[in-house]
Amino acid sequence: MNVRRAKSVLGSVILAPAALLAGIAGAPAAQAQPCPDIEVIFARGTGADPGLGFVGDAFVDALRSKVGGRSVGAYAVNYPAGFDFDKSAPAGAADAAGRVQWMADNCPATRLVLGGMSQGAGVIDLITVDPQPLGHYTPTPLPAHLSDHIAAIAVFGNPLRDVKGGGPLPAMSSTYGPRSIDMCALDDLFCSKGLSLPAHFAYVDNGMVAQAADFVAGKL
């Protein structure tokens, strides 16, 4: 796969409004009680095993070390994280949106943090970025009544930075921009004009996960 084809593939994320609404209507798996003070809702990257992914795990661990005695729960967005992005990404966006709605209904005092790596970053973009064309995709942001539940957003290796009309999440969301951090490693193949695949997997080692956790802790 050549570089431009690879970027095109990782940039191929689209959120169907019907899928989003379906996700909000459905109830994710029950949250253990009592409700945590903070919950991180994180979408793993393409091809990662179900769970938070290595970046998500490191981010949650770093955040827990920075919020004192407050409890931090974690929810792994339930989606395929596969290479058929036109199916995979909408499923992730619907599940993430559904989890936000469920937490707002059942744990209204819990502060929510949204996060994602690679395709997972695109999933989070698609429920937070303003509804404007990004390439040939149009995000559908979360309903306005959920905004106050979301304290911060942190994404890594975001492919929607590198599509026509795209850019870092803070510049693309009038609602969540000041609460967002969008980390793109130098020369990352998928979020910049760079050519480095190793850079795309370097967010823990290069300190950007810790930097994002500092930012998020400051919003909590």
Side-chain angles (χ1 to χ4, degrees):
M1 181 180 289
N2 63 40
V3 168
R4 292 301 162 195
R5 173 57 180 161
K7 288 188 175 185
S8 175
V9 169
L10 274 191
S12 297
V13 287
I14 182 170
L15 177 60
L20 175 57
L21 292 174
I24 291 176
Q31 164 77 33
Q33 295 299 324
C35 296
D37 297 316
I38 301 158
E39 180 172 274
V40 177
I41 298 170
F42 200 95
R44 70 195 190 278
T46 305
D49 291 335
L52 300 176
F54 77 99
V55 170
D57 283 334
F59 174 72
V60 171
D61 287 345
L63 186 61
R64 284 180 174 141
S65 73
K66 299 174 186 294
V67 294
R70 285 175 287 177
S71 59
V72 180
Y75 177 81
V77 173
N78 183 16
Y79 85 119
F83 286 94
D84 186 350
F85 295 101
D86 286 347
K87 293 181 179 178
S88 179
D95 188 76
R99 183 62 178 183
V100 172
Q101 180 69 70
W102 192 92
M103 288 297 291
D105 291 341
N106 293 278
C107 294
T110 297
R111 305 299 289 141
L112 302 179
V113 175
L114 306 183
M117 165 62 184
S118 193
Q119 183 184 173
V123 165
I124 298 303
D125 266 15
L126 288 170
I127 61 171
T128 56
V129 170
D130 294 341
Q132 57 199 355
L134 297 178
H136 59 278
Y137 312 116
T138 301
T140 302
L142 292 163
H145 71 276
L146 297 176
S147 172
D148 289 344
H149 295 275
I150 297 171
I153 300 170
V155 294
F156 307 86
N158 183 2
L160 288 187
R161 290 174 60 123
D162 197 31
V163 301
K164 184 178 180 180
L169 194 159
M172 304 296 287
S173 176
S174 57
T175 300
Y176 300 105
R179 297 176 242 172
S180 303
I181 189 167
D182 187 328
M183 308 303 292
C184 182
L186 181 66
D187 291 331
D188 185 325
L189 172 65
F190 297 117
C191 62
S192 75
K193 302 298 183 184
L195 302 175
S196 175
L197 182 61
H200 189 62
F201 298 101
Y203 289 94
V204 178
D205 292 339
N206 69 12
M208 286 186 168
V209 164
Q211 182 182 342
D214 281 334
F215 172 87
V216 169
K219 299 297 182 182
L220 291 164

